[in-house]
Amino acid sequence: MRTRKPIATRLPQRILVDTGVFLAYYESSDRHHLQAVQLVTTWWRQPYPSRLIVAFPVLYETLNTRFVQDRRRLDLWAHDWNLWRTRGRLEYCADEPYRLDALDQCAAEAQRPPQHFRALSVVDRILRALLDDPLIHLDGLWTFNPGDFADVCQRRDIRMNT
């Protein structure tokens, strides 16, 4: 009798990626580097199709001035990015509908009392909106800041890497 691997060991099919994962993956001195390498390597080697879903604000944060000034790191990113795209393993997620609301939320947060203040960047707020939108199919999130997304992931039954 053959045994099968349980489905629970498979990676999610559509994985939204937070900036920290890309930064850690390309920076060996980052405290999450080994975890990021393990995530990306496991994802890339899996035998069934799965996509990384990337919103442009994550790219803005990742490809910042410090990142692109390190030619070695930029070359690695460009190689991976092109490979992932040509193999159909990468998908851009339209975030335009969520941008102004995320900015408004940041401004409103400044008015909240300290005990209710939540320090979420505009990028995190956009990612939360994408995760919360029932019209966007996501079943995974890679982040090193699970507290910023745990509530919305639990509500939508989206698996986090942690």
Side-chain angles (χ1 to χ4, degrees):
M1 178 180 201
R2 277 197 218 169
T3 59
R4 291 186 188 175
K5 282 187 174 181
I7 291 176
T9 63
R10 290 186 174 182
L11 287 175
Q13 295 298 301
R14 294 176 45 86
I15 306 163
L16 186 66
V17 183
D18 192 10
T19 308
V21 174
F22 286 134
L23 292 175
Y25 183 71
Y26 292 105
E27 181 53 62
S28 60
S29 65
D30 189 287
R31 67 186 178 116
H32 296 293
H33 177 70
L34 294 177
Q35 187 179 359
V37 168
Q38 182 179 17
L39 281 170
V40 173
T41 302
T42 301
W43 163 76
W44 183 247
R45 290 182 179 164
Q46 67 184 346
Y48 40 88
S50 173
R51 287 195 179 125
L52 296 184
I53 310 302
V54 181
F56 261 90
V58 169
L59 296 176
Y60 299 149
E61 279 190 326
T62 302
L63 299 174
N64 60 42
T65 302
R66 184 173 157 255
F67 188 99
V68 300
Q69 286 176 340
D70 181 338
R71 183 59 190 251
R72 175 201 56 82
R73 189 169 34 194
L74 182 61
D75 287 346
L76 287 171
W77 174 85
H79 172 268
D80 290 343
W81 199 258
N82 290 327
L83 182 64
W84 298 341
R85 262 190 11 195
T86 58
R87 301 260 175 102
R89 303 290 297 272
L90 188 66
E91 184 179 324
Y92 298 109
C93 190
D95 61 275
E96 292 88 358
Y98 312 98
R99 290 178 186 174
L100 290 177
D101 189 47
L103 286 171
D104 290 343
Q105 288 176 23
C106 281
E109 196 69 35
Q111 305 305 313
R112 296 181 70 162
Q115 66 271 24
H116 296 291
F117 179 80
R118 190 156 187 202
L120 293 173
S121 71
V122 77
V123 175
D124 289 344
R125 292 173 189 279
I126 290 170
L127 293 181
R128 286 178 57 82
L130 292 169
L131 289 162
D132 205 30
D133 189 334
L135 299 177
I136 299 176
H137 173 76
L138 296 168
D139 45 28
L141 170 68
W142 286 354
T143 183
F144 296 126
N145 299 307
D148 293 348
F149 307 100
D151 58 327
V152 70
C153 285
Q154 183 176 12
R155 186 168 54 251
R156 291 277 322 280
D157 195 28
I158 295 171
R159 288 177 45 203
M160 285 196 285
N161 60 297
T162 54

